[in-house]
Amino acid sequence: MNKIDLLKTRREKLLQCGSEVRKQISALTDEGSFVELDAYSFSRNEFYGEDAEGEGVVTGYATINDVPVYVVAQNANVLSGGVSLANCKKIVKCLQKAKLTGYAVVYLFNSLGVQVGEGVNVLEGMGEVLNASLALKDEVTQISVVTGKLYGTFALLSANCDYNYMLDGSCVAYASPTVISAVSGKNLPAEEVGGAKASKYNNVTTFKATNVENVREKLVELFAVIPAFSSVVEDTDDDLNRVSANLNEKACPKCLESAVFDNGKCIEMNADFCPEVITAVGRVGGISVAAIIFGGEDKGVELNLNNVLKIKEFVNYANDYNLPVITFVNTLGIKTDLATSNTPIMKEINNLAYNLRQSARISVVYGKAIGLGYTLFASKSLGVDYSYAFANSQIALFTGAASSAYFGNVREDKLDELAEKYAEENADPINAARNGYVDNVIEPQFVRAYVISALQTFVR
């Protein structure tokens, strides 16, 4: 057989064993843009006596809506997508190219773990991959797409990414979900242990998607907002002075999204984890921003370890992408119970405060800013550049009769009177404005214009 025919035969075999993953790559990337790297590398698994075609991973470069990316796609049809030393070295080569060019990396994950028979060699290989991924942190965008099962050490690689898309039916776990469930004395399906449903506990899922085509749609939408892939300022054809009269009646997180973001649209991240705090990106006045929106309705949000961790990670992400942070405040201090007290929350609040100090920040108190809730998210002393408060908001040291009792000897029959007096005379945001701590007390309906005006001072 001549060499041309031999090449065609080898190519056909390679395409056949990787047909499914190549279809996924085609669905994700622009038509005809994918160029494969190291296509003919392979090793032999002595335990199974089989060749690992293409090392069980397809790597290369392509574009997604004209944005250049590198692609690492695990081929589950080669030894169940098992990870080998050679597989790891192929991935590392691709990540090193991404570091040189600065192009984003998109991983398509589908693996049951390491290949049997590899021994310690594969552990070193995984260490090399994790090291290469960590070297990209804060420099190169990494995007995880979990298309099937992802068990073992590579689950950490997914968690290290800037964004993680979980497809319907997919699962991420550091060990077999069956084992995790059994050791815990339960009999849960894999999706409840490591699927998108589990994100309300582990904060792994950034976005949920139905299929790879849906991931592409979501990535195109995201790329249009993030300055690393688009302009910092773009004309969105939305009125800069648009008024939202409904906010004068009642403000809620969804109302604020609709009122402030261009065309009323933003992209929420990690929606299932601590849903009382919304973290989102979008454009306001054409400017790319990150936003934190506290829910909590009339009561406000109490801080606990999980929601503090969510905010801290998001602020760190905003800093990495040079996004100004807008915080819509409706929060109190730390939740006063033993479960919260028995966590490292005080240390994590200090870490959050450090991250907040690195950001360009706008604060809008639309509900309550009480105690530490004010200090962290609305205080000029802690780095807020522009601070606004709705006329019907509350800014105070404490709230409620019970809280007021902690400050001095007060007759029990006077507690309610004291709390009411305090709310009327001292919680009015005018008092904070009088001392220069709030730049303006505003009618809620005009909030978009005020926020845009402040944002424009950040753009150079």
Side-chain angles (χ1 to χ4, degrees), residues 23-227:
K23 285 179 183 177
Q24 292 177 336
I25 293 171
S26 295
L28 181 71
T29 60
D30 297 340
E31 185 176 356
S33 70
F34 180 67
V35 178
E36 191 169 353
L37 299 171
D38 295 316
Y40 294 99
S41 61
F42 70 93
S43 57
R44 185 172 183 79
N45 184 288
E46 298 301 332
F47 186 86
Y48 288 109
E50 297 178 21
D51 288 339
E53 298 286 348
E55 306 303 355
V57 61
V58 178
T59 62
Y61 56 90
T63 58
I64 298 175
N65 201 35
D66 295 329
V67 174
V69 299
Y70 280 91
V71 177
V72 174
Q74 289 182 308
N75 185 0
N77 291 326
V78 176
L79 300 177
S80 299
V83 179
S84 66
L85 176 61
N87 174 294
C88 291
K89 289 189 176 298
K90 184 173 176 179
I91 294 172
V92 168
K93 284 178 67 176
C94 189
L95 298 188
Q96 288 171 340
K97 288 182 171 65
K99 185 173 177 61
L100 285 173
T101 61
Y103 295 164
V105 179
V106 181
Y107 304 89
L108 296 175
F109 286 120
N110 190 3
S111 172
L112 294 178
V114 299
Q115 289 182 17
V116 176
E118 283 277 324
V120 177
N121 289 334
V122 71
L123 299 181
E124 281 290 345
M126 287 180 160
E128 289 182 29
V129 174
L130 287 174
N131 185 56
S133 174
L134 290 168
L136 300 183
K137 197 75 174 171
D138 302 337
E139 293 185 26
V140 172
T141 299
Q142 297 181 80
I143 301 161
S144 162
V145 182
V146 184
T147 63
K149 297 177 175 62
L150 178 60
Y151 301 160
T153 302
F154 266 28
L156 300 179
L157 186 60
S158 171
N160 185 52
C161 290
D162 300 87
Y163 312 97
N164 182 35
Y165 292 80
M166 293 283 287
L167 268 57
D168 289 348
S170 63
C171 180
V172 175
Y174 57 84
S176 165
T178 303
V179 174
I180 293 173
S181 180
V183 169
S184 303
K186 299 182 182 296
N187 183 23
L188 300 172
E191 286 184 39
E192 289 193 28
V193 178
K197 288 182 179 178
S199 189
K200 63 182 178 181
Y201 306 113
N202 61 29
N203 197 25
V204 169
T205 303
T206 315
F207 304 109
K208 291 182 282 191
T210 53
N211 50 38
V212 175
E213 290 84 355
N214 187 215
V215 172
R216 175 186 166 85
E217 293 170 2
K218 290 176 179 287
L219 279 175
V220 169
E221 183 182 11
L222 185 70
F223 288 167
V225 170
I226 304 302

Side-chain angles (χ1 to χ4, degrees), residues 401 412-423:
E412 188 172 341
D413 62 340
K414 294 291 186 180
L415 286 179
D416 290 336
E417 180 184 336
L418 175 61
E420 184 179 348
K421 183 175 186 292
Y422 189 90

